[in-house]
Protein backbone atom coordinates (compact mmCIF):
# COMPACT_ATOMS: atom_id res chain seq x y z
CA UNK A 1 0.00 0.00 0.00
CA UNK A 2 1.20 3.46 -0.78
CA UNK A 3 2.40 5.61 2.09
CA UNK A 4 3.31 9.25 2.40
CA UNK A 5 6.76 8.68 0.93
CA UNK A 6 5.06 7.41 -2.25
CA UNK A 7 3.36 10.75 -2.86
CA UNK A 8 4.63 12.58 -5.91
CA UNK A 9 6.03 16.06 -5.21
CA UNK A 10 6.95 18.63 -7.87
CA UNK A 11 9.33 21.12 -6.32
CA UNK A 12 8.93 24.72 -7.42
CA UNK A 13 12.00 25.80 -5.53
CA UNK A 14 14.21 24.45 -2.78
CA UNK A 15 16.27 26.16 -0.09
CA UNK A 16 18.60 23.70 1.64
CA UNK A 17 19.79 26.19 4.21
CA UNK A 18 16.29 26.61 5.59
CA UNK A 19 15.46 22.96 4.94
CA UNK A 20 12.19 24.13 3.46
CA UNK A 21 10.65 23.49 0.08
CA UNK A 22 7.63 25.05 -1.51
CA UNK A 23 5.91 22.00 -2.85
CA UNK A 24 3.11 21.57 -5.30
CA UNK A 25 1.80 18.19 -4.33
CA UNK A 26 0.85 15.82 -7.07
CA UNK A 27 -1.30 13.60 -4.97
CA UNK A 28 -2.44 10.76 -7.09
CA UNK A 29 -3.06 8.15 -4.43
CA UNK A 30 -6.63 7.15 -3.70
CA UNK A 31 -5.94 6.33 -0.04
CA UNK A 32 -5.78 10.05 0.74
CA UNK A 33 -9.01 10.80 -1.10
CA UNK A 34 -7.48 13.48 -3.33
CA UNK A 35 -9.01 14.45 -6.65
CA UNK A 36 -5.99 15.50 -8.62
CA UNK A 37 -4.10 18.34 -7.22
CA UNK A 38 -3.67 21.85 -6.58
CA UNK A 39 -2.38 22.93 -3.17
CA UNK A 40 0.90 24.72 -2.68
CA UNK A 41 2.30 24.62 0.84
CA UNK A 42 5.51 24.99 2.77
CA UNK A 43 6.50 21.73 4.41
CA UNK A 44 9.77 21.31 6.26
CA UNK A 45 11.79 18.17 5.70
CA UNK A 46 11.36 17.29 9.37
CA UNK A 47 7.58 17.36 9.01
CA UNK A 48 7.71 15.29 5.82
CA UNK A 49 9.79 12.64 7.59
CA UNK A 50 7.45 12.55 10.59
CA UNK A 51 4.39 12.31 8.33
CA UNK A 52 6.06 9.49 6.41
CA UNK A 53 6.96 7.54 9.57
CA UNK A 54 3.52 8.04 11.11
CA UNK A 55 1.69 7.04 7.93
CA UNK A 56 3.73 3.85 7.67
CA UNK A 57 2.90 3.00 11.31
CA UNK A 58 -0.81 3.64 10.67
CA UNK A 59 -0.79 1.51 7.53
CA UNK A 60 0.95 -1.35 9.30
CA UNK A 61 -1.55 -1.27 12.17
CA UNK A 62 -4.57 -1.00 9.87
CA UNK A 63 -3.53 -3.89 7.64
CA UNK A 64 -2.75 -6.10 10.63
CA UNK A 65 -6.12 -5.35 12.22
CA UNK A 66 -7.94 -5.95 8.97
CA UNK A 67 -6.35 -9.40 8.62
CA UNK A 68 -6.58 -10.37 12.31
CA UNK A 69 -9.13 -12.97 13.50
CA UNK A 70 -12.37 -11.37 14.64
CA UNK A 71 -11.90 -12.19 18.30
CA UNK A 72 -8.38 -10.73 18.24
CA UNK A 73 -9.59 -7.55 16.55
CA UNK A 74 -12.48 -7.15 19.01
CA UNK A 75 -10.15 -7.82 21.92
CA UNK A 76 -7.67 -5.29 20.60
CA UNK A 77 -10.35 -2.59 20.49
CA UNK A 78 -11.29 -3.25 24.13
CA UNK A 79 -7.70 -3.11 25.35
CA UNK A 80 -6.63 -0.22 23.12
CA UNK A 81 -9.63 1.77 24.34
CA UNK A 82 -8.58 1.08 27.94
CA UNK A 83 -5.08 2.41 27.23
CA UNK A 84 -6.53 5.41 25.39
CA UNK A 85 -8.80 6.27 28.33
CA UNK A 86 -5.84 6.15 30.73
CA UNK A 87 -3.78 8.36 28.41
CA UNK A 88 -6.69 10.78 27.89
CA UNK A 89 -6.97 11.09 31.66
CA UNK A 90 -3.26 11.83 31.88
CA UNK A 91 -3.53 14.59 29.27
CA UNK A 92 -6.24 16.10 31.49
CA UNK A 93 -4.00 15.87 34.57
CA UNK A 94 -5.52 12.71 36.08
CA UNK A 95 -3.43 9.65 36.95
CA UNK A 96 -5.17 6.29 36.68
CA UNK A 97 -3.69 2.78 36.96
CA UNK A 98 -4.84 0.63 33.99
CA UNK A 99 -5.20 -2.53 36.09
CA UNK A 100 -7.47 -0.70 38.53
CA UNK A 101 -9.52 0.82 35.72
CA UNK A 102 -10.08 -2.64 34.26
CA UNK A 103 -11.61 -3.80 37.55
CA UNK A 104 -13.65 -0.62 38.01
CA UNK A 105 -15.13 -1.11 34.56
CA UNK A 106 -16.44 -4.50 35.67
CA UNK A 107 -17.56 -3.38 39.12
CA UNK A 108 -14.92 -5.62 40.68
CA UNK A 109 -12.70 -3.02 42.34
CA UNK A 110 -12.39 -3.40 46.11
CA UNK A 111 -11.12 0.05 47.12
CA UNK A 112 -12.74 3.47 47.05
CA UNK A 113 -13.21 4.90 43.56
CA UNK A 114 -11.69 8.36 43.12
CA UNK A 115 -13.22 11.11 41.01
CA UNK A 116 -10.37 10.70 38.53
CA UNK A 117 -11.08 6.98 38.20
CA UNK A 118 -14.81 7.59 37.79
CA UNK A 119 -14.25 10.17 35.04
CA UNK A 120 -11.89 7.83 33.21
CA UNK A 121 -14.29 4.89 33.49
CA UNK A 122 -16.99 7.06 31.91
CA UNK A 123 -14.75 7.46 28.85
CA UNK A 124 -14.63 3.74 28.06
CA UNK A 125 -18.10 3.32 26.48
CA UNK A 126 -17.64 6.58 24.56
CA UNK A 127 -14.33 5.42 23.08
CA UNK A 128 -15.73 1.96 22.29
CA UNK A 129 -18.62 3.45 20.33
CA UNK A 130 -16.31 5.87 18.51
CA UNK A 131 -13.93 3.08 17.45
CA UNK A 132 -16.83 1.27 15.74
CA UNK A 133 -18.85 4.21 14.39
CA UNK A 134 -18.68 5.16 10.71
CA UNK A 135 -16.42 8.24 10.42
CA UNK A 136 -18.74 9.77 7.83
CA UNK A 137 -21.35 10.28 10.54
CA UNK A 138 -19.12 12.53 12.60
CA UNK A 139 -18.35 15.68 10.62
CA UNK A 140 -21.68 17.46 10.25
CA UNK A 141 -22.10 20.20 12.90
CA UNK A 142 -25.88 19.80 13.22
CA UNK A 143 -25.54 16.05 13.66
CA UNK A 144 -22.90 16.54 16.35
CA UNK A 145 -25.15 19.07 18.09
CA UNK A 146 -28.02 16.58 18.00
CA UNK A 147 -25.78 13.91 19.49
CA UNK A 148 -24.72 16.34 22.19
CA UNK A 149 -28.33 17.28 22.99
CA UNK A 150 -29.37 13.64 23.27
CA UNK A 151 -26.47 12.88 25.59
CA UNK A 152 -27.35 15.76 27.86
CA UNK A 153 -30.98 14.69 28.07
CA UNK A 154 -29.99 11.24 29.35
CA UNK A 155 -30.92 11.24 33.01
CA UNK A 156 -28.99 8.20 34.16
CA UNK A 157 -26.40 5.60 33.24
CA UNK A 158 -22.80 5.90 32.19
CA UNK A 159 -21.30 5.72 28.77
CA UNK A 160 -21.36 7.71 25.58
CA UNK A 161 -24.00 10.09 26.90
CA UNK A 162 -22.01 11.05 30.01
CA UNK A 163 -18.62 11.47 28.41
CA UNK A 164 -19.51 13.47 25.31
CA UNK A 165 -19.79 16.58 27.49
CA UNK A 166 -17.01 17.43 29.93
CA UNK A 167 -17.56 16.84 33.63
CA UNK A 168 -19.09 19.94 35.18
CA UNK A 169 -20.42 21.17 31.82
CA UNK A 170 -23.35 18.79 31.43
CA UNK A 171 -26.19 20.43 33.31
CA UNK A 172 -26.75 23.70 31.42
CA UNK A 173 -25.06 24.49 28.17
CA UNK A 174 -25.91 27.06 25.54
CA UNK A 175 -26.43 24.95 22.44
CA UNK A 176 -26.05 27.99 20.22
CA UNK A 177 -22.47 28.32 21.47
CA UNK A 178 -21.85 24.64 20.83
CA UNK A 179 -23.31 24.88 17.33
CA UNK A 180 -21.27 27.97 16.49
CA UNK A 181 -18.12 26.29 17.75
CA UNK A 182 -18.73 23.16 15.69
CA UNK A 183 -19.59 25.20 12.61
CA UNK A 184 -16.32 27.09 13.02
CA UNK A 185 -14.31 23.87 13.17
CA UNK A 186 -16.20 21.89 10.52
CA UNK A 187 -17.08 24.65 8.08
CA UNK A 188 -17.45 23.50 4.45
CA UNK A 189 -14.32 25.50 3.59
CA UNK A 190 -12.27 23.70 6.24
CA UNK A 191 -13.54 20.24 5.30
CA UNK A 192 -12.89 20.92 1.61
CA UNK A 193 -9.35 22.09 2.35
CA UNK A 194 -8.62 19.10 4.59
CA UNK A 195 -9.40 16.81 1.67
CA UNK A 196 -6.55 18.37 -0.32
CA UNK A 197 -3.78 17.97 2.27
CA UNK A 198 -2.27 14.90 3.95
CA UNK A 199 -4.78 13.45 6.45
CA UNK A 200 -2.36 13.72 9.37
CA UNK A 201 -1.95 17.45 8.81
CA UNK A 202 -5.73 17.81 8.61
CA UNK A 203 -6.17 15.86 11.86
CA UNK A 204 -3.59 18.08 13.56
CA UNK A 205 -5.50 21.15 12.43
CA UNK A 206 -8.80 19.70 13.71
CA UNK A 207 -7.26 19.49 17.19
CA UNK A 208 -5.97 23.05 16.97
CA UNK A 209 -9.34 24.43 15.84
CA UNK A 210 -11.15 22.31 18.43
CA UNK A 211 -9.21 24.14 21.15
CA UNK A 212 -9.34 27.65 19.69
CA UNK A 213 -13.10 27.42 19.04
CA UNK A 214 -13.74 26.50 22.69
CA UNK A 215 -15.17 23.08 21.81
CA UNK A 216 -12.66 21.45 24.15
CA UNK A 217 -14.38 23.20 27.07
CA UNK A 218 -17.97 23.22 25.79
CA UNK A 219 -17.94 19.57 24.72
CA UNK A 220 -14.77 17.77 25.81
CA UNK A 221 -11.10 17.48 24.79
CA UNK A 222 -11.55 13.72 24.33
CA UNK A 223 -14.20 14.27 21.67
CA UNK A 224 -11.75 16.38 19.67
CA UNK A 225 -9.15 13.61 19.71
CA UNK A 226 -11.78 11.08 18.63
CA UNK A 227 -12.81 13.30 15.73
CA UNK A 228 -9.18 13.72 14.66
CA UNK A 229 -8.83 9.93 14.61
CA UNK A 230 -12.13 9.63 12.73
CA UNK A 231 -10.79 11.99 10.06
CA UNK A 232 -7.89 9.61 9.46
CA UNK A 233 -10.46 6.85 8.94
CA UNK A 234 -12.62 9.01 6.70
CA UNK A 235 -9.53 9.77 4.59
CA UNK A 236 -8.90 6.06 4.05
CA UNK A 237 -5.86 5.57 6.26
CA UNK A 238 -7.81 3.21 8.55
CA UNK A 239 -11.10 1.35 8.29
CA UNK A 240 -12.42 2.78 11.57
CA UNK A 241 -11.14 5.24 14.19
CA UNK A 242 -8.39 2.83 15.21
CA UNK A 243 -5.64 5.43 15.78
CA UNK A 244 -5.52 6.05 19.55
CA UNK A 245 -4.17 9.58 19.59
CA UNK A 246 -3.83 10.13 23.36
CA UNK A 247 -1.84 6.91 23.74
CA UNK A 248 1.06 8.34 21.74
CA UNK A 249 1.42 11.27 24.16
CA UNK A 250 1.24 9.22 27.36
CA UNK A 251 4.96 9.50 28.10
CA UNK A 252 5.28 13.15 27.05
CA UNK A 253 2.05 15.00 27.78
CA UNK A 254 3.68 18.40 27.22
CA UNK A 255 4.18 17.55 23.54
CA UNK A 256 0.41 17.65 23.15
CA UNK A 257 0.16 21.36 22.44
CA UNK A 258 -2.00 22.00 19.34
CA UNK A 259 -0.83 25.01 17.37
CA UNK A 260 -1.06 26.53 13.88
CA UNK A 261 2.51 25.84 12.78
CA UNK A 262 4.70 22.99 11.59
CA UNK A 263 6.07 22.34 15.09
CA UNK A 264 2.68 20.99 16.10
CA UNK A 265 2.42 18.94 12.89
CA UNK A 266 5.76 17.34 13.74
CA UNK A 267 4.80 16.63 17.36
CA UNK A 268 1.41 15.29 16.34
CA UNK A 269 2.84 12.97 13.70
CA UNK A 270 5.39 11.66 16.20
CA UNK A 271 2.69 11.08 18.81
CA UNK A 272 0.53 9.22 16.30
CA UNK A 273 3.50 7.06 15.30
CA UNK A 274 4.28 6.16 18.92
CA UNK A 275 0.63 5.39 19.63
CA UNK A 276 0.36 3.11 16.60
CA UNK A 277 3.59 1.31 17.48
CA UNK A 278 2.33 0.72 21.02
CA UNK A 279 -1.09 -0.56 19.96
CA UNK A 280 0.54 -2.68 17.23
CA UNK A 281 2.63 -4.36 19.94
CA UNK A 282 -0.60 -5.00 21.84
CA UNK A 283 -2.08 -6.62 18.72
CA UNK A 284 1.00 -8.83 18.39
CA UNK A 285 0.56 -10.04 21.98
CA UNK A 286 -3.09 -10.88 21.39
CA UNK A 287 -2.22 -12.77 18.21
CA UNK A 288 0.43 -14.71 20.15
CA UNK A 289 -2.24 -15.63 22.72
CA UNK A 290 -4.57 -16.67 19.88
CA UNK A 291 -1.91 -18.97 18.41
CA UNK A 292 -1.16 -20.40 21.85
CA UNK A 293 -4.80 -21.42 22.29
CA UNK A 294 -4.88 -22.97 18.82
CA UNK A 295 -1.94 -25.20 19.76
CA UNK A 296 -3.52 -26.58 22.95
CA UNK A 297 -5.55 -29.79 22.88
CA UNK A 298 -8.18 -29.55 25.62
CA UNK A 299 -9.65 -32.99 24.78
CA UNK A 300 -13.20 -31.69 24.96
CA UNK A 301 -16.55 -32.85 23.66
CA UNK A 302 -17.87 -31.32 20.45
CA UNK A 303 -20.66 -29.70 22.49
CA UNK A 304 -18.28 -28.11 25.00
CA UNK A 305 -18.75 -24.42 25.79
CA UNK A 306 -15.02 -23.92 26.34
CA UNK A 307 -14.35 -22.35 22.89
CA UNK A 308 -17.14 -19.83 23.51
CA UNK A 309 -15.64 -18.87 26.89
CA UNK A 310 -12.22 -18.45 25.26
CA UNK A 311 -13.75 -16.17 22.61
CA UNK A 312 -15.31 -14.09 25.39
CA UNK A 313 -11.97 -13.81 27.19
CA UNK A 314 -10.45 -12.37 24.03
CA UNK A 315 -13.28 -9.95 23.34
CA UNK A 316 -13.53 -8.55 26.89
CA UNK A 317 -10.86 -6.92 29.02
CA UNK A 318 -12.14 -8.97 31.98
CA UNK A 319 -14.63 -11.79 32.56
CA UNK A 320 -16.44 -12.99 35.67
CA UNK A 321 -18.52 -16.11 36.14
CA UNK A 322 -21.70 -14.04 36.17
CA UNK A 323 -20.88 -12.00 33.04
CA UNK A 324 -19.88 -15.14 31.13
CA UNK A 325 -23.06 -16.92 32.25
CA UNK A 326 -25.24 -13.99 31.18
CA UNK A 327 -23.58 -13.38 27.82
CA UNK A 328 -23.25 -17.03 26.81
CA UNK A 329 -26.48 -18.34 28.29
CA UNK A 330 -24.89 -21.19 30.26
CA UNK A 331 -24.93 -21.98 33.97
CA UNK A 332 -22.66 -20.15 36.42
CA UNK A 333 -21.28 -23.46 37.63
CA UNK A 334 -20.26 -24.47 34.10
CA UNK A 335 -18.63 -21.07 33.53
CA UNK A 336 -16.72 -21.27 36.80
CA UNK A 337 -15.48 -24.75 35.94
CA UNK A 338 -14.30 -23.72 32.48
CA UNK A 339 -12.59 -20.55 33.71
CA UNK A 340 -10.72 -22.44 36.43
CA UNK A 341 -9.66 -25.04 33.90
CA UNK A 342 -8.31 -22.35 31.59
CA UNK A 343 -6.53 -20.74 34.52
CA UNK A 344 -4.71 -23.95 35.53
CA UNK A 345 -4.47 -25.93 32.28
CA UNK A 346 -4.56 -23.20 29.67
CA UNK A 347 -1.68 -22.24 27.36
CA UNK A 348 1.42 -20.39 28.48
CA UNK A 349 3.72 -17.92 26.77
CA UNK A 350 7.26 -17.79 28.11
CA UNK A 351 6.14 -19.85 31.12
CA UNK A 352 3.40 -17.34 32.00
CA UNK A 353 -0.26 -18.42 31.84
CA UNK A 354 -2.21 -16.59 29.15
CA UNK A 355 -5.36 -16.58 31.32
CA UNK A 356 -4.87 -15.10 34.76
CA UNK A 357 -7.00 -14.21 37.77
CA UNK A 358 -6.87 -10.43 38.20
CA UNK A 359 -7.89 -9.80 41.80
CA UNK A 360 -6.05 -12.39 43.91
CA UNK A 361 -9.34 -13.30 45.58
CA UNK A 362 -10.56 -16.83 46.26
CA UNK A 363 -14.17 -15.85 45.51
CA UNK A 364 -15.85 -13.37 43.16
CA UNK A 365 -12.88 -13.89 40.89
CA UNK A 366 -12.14 -11.91 37.72
CA UNK A 367 -10.33 -13.50 34.78
CA UNK A 368 -8.58 -12.00 31.82
CA UNK A 369 -6.05 -12.56 29.08
CA UNK A 370 -2.94 -10.71 30.24
Amino acid sequence: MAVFSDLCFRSNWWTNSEKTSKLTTCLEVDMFGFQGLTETAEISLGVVKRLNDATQAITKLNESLRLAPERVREGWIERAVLAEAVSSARLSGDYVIPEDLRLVAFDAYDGPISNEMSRTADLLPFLRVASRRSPRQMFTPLRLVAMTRLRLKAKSGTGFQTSWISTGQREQRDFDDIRYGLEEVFSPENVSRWKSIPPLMAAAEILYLWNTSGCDEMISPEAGRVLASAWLARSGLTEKAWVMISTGFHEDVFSFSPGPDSRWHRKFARGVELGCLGTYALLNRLEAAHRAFEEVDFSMRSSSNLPRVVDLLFKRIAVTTSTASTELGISSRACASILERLLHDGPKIKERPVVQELTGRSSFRVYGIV
Side-chain angles (χ1 to χ4, degrees), residues 47-195:
V47 173
V48 170
K49 181 182 184 304
R50 287 300 185 201
L51 291 173
N52 176 47
D53 293 344
T55 304
Q56 289 189 50
I58 293 172
T59 301
K60 185 177 181 180
L61 175 65
N62 183 66
E63 286 301 293
S64 298
L65 281 169
R66 191 177 63 82
L67 298 173
E70 180 186 357
R71 71 182 187 182
V72 171
R73 183 167 54 251
E74 289 295 311
W76 177 88
I77 290 174
E78 288 291 302
R79 291 158 179 82
V81 158
L82 183 83
E84 179 72 359
V86 170
S87 297
S88 285
R90 186 160 186 176
L91 288 178
S92 299
D94 294 336
Y95 290 85
V96 173
I97 299 173
E99 293 78 10
D100 291 346
L101 179 61
R102 180 198 295 232
L103 296 178
V104 168
F106 278 80
D107 197 24
Y109 187 66
D110 287 333
I113 299 176
S114 65
N115 291 333
E116 292 84 355
M117 182 71 75
S118 180
R119 284 195 295 268
T120 308
D122 279 351
L123 284 176
L124 292 173
F126 166 54
L127 294 173
R128 286 192 195 104
V129 170
S131 67
R132 293 176 171 89
R133 183 178 289 272
S134 169
R136 296 191 178 276
Q137 301 174 356
M138 303 176 74
F139 292 94
T140 303
L142 289 179
R143 181 173 291 167
L144 289 172
V145 169
M147 291 167 62
T148 302
R149 190 184 299 273
L150 287 174
R151 272 53 181 183
L152 279 183
K153 284 183 177 179
K155 295 182 183 292
S156 63
T158 59
F160 197 88
Q161 71 272 13
T162 61
S163 56
W164 183 251
I165 302 295
S166 295
T167 303
Q169 305 290 338
R170 298 173 184 147
E171 295 78 8
Q172 297 294 327
R173 173 54 64 187
D174 188 338
F175 279 99
D176 285 338
D177 288 346
I178 291 177
R179 188 179 76 249
Y180 295 149
L182 291 171
E183 287 175 348
E184 179 182 341
V185 177
F186 300 110
S187 67
E189 295 79 14
N190 283 344
V191 173
S192 176
R193 181 165 47 80
W194 294 338
K195 292 178 181 178

Side-chain angles (χ1 to χ4, degrees), residues 335-367:
C335 287
S337 175
I338 292 172
L339 288 168
E340 286 297 313
R341 182 181 180 188
L342 291 172
L343 181 64
H344 298 293
D345 302 327
K348 296 182 179 181
I349 297 177
K350 296 182 179 179
E351 304 303 319
R352 294 187 61 193
V354 173
V355 177
Q356 296 184 23
E357 204 285 321
L358 305 177
T359 64
R361 298 192 298 239
S362 58
S363 58
F364 303 103
R365 289 154 75 83
V366 181
Y367 305 83

Side-chain angles (χ1 to χ4, degrees), residues 312-348:
L312 191 64
L313 282 166
F314 270 95
K315 293 179 179 181
R316 301 287 181 269
I317 55 176
V319 172
T320 64
T321 298
S322 61
T323 57
S325 175
T326 300
E327 291 202 39
L328 301 179
I330 57 181
S331 69
S332 296
R333 178 173 293 184
C335 287
S337 175
I338 292 172
L339 288 168
E340 286 297 313
R341 182 181 180 188
L342 291 172
L343 181 64
H344 298 293
D345 302 327
K348 296 182 179 181

Side-chain angles (χ1 to χ4, degrees), residues 228-278:
S229 178
W231 182 264
L232 299 179
R234 176 173 171 165
S235 302
L237 282 182
T238 58
E239 290 192 9
K240 296 289 178 65
W242 288 341
V243 176
M244 303 297 167
I245 289 174
S246 303
T247 302
F249 293 91
H250 185 85
E251 298 298 331
D252 187 8
V253 295
F254 296 108
S255 290
F256 189 84
S257 52
D261 54 20
S262 62
R263 287 177 297 179
W264 165 236
H265 293 154
R266 187 184 297 111
K267 291 177 183 178
F268 177 71
R270 178 57 175 165
V272 167
E273 180 190 2
L274 291 175
C276 287
L277 292 175

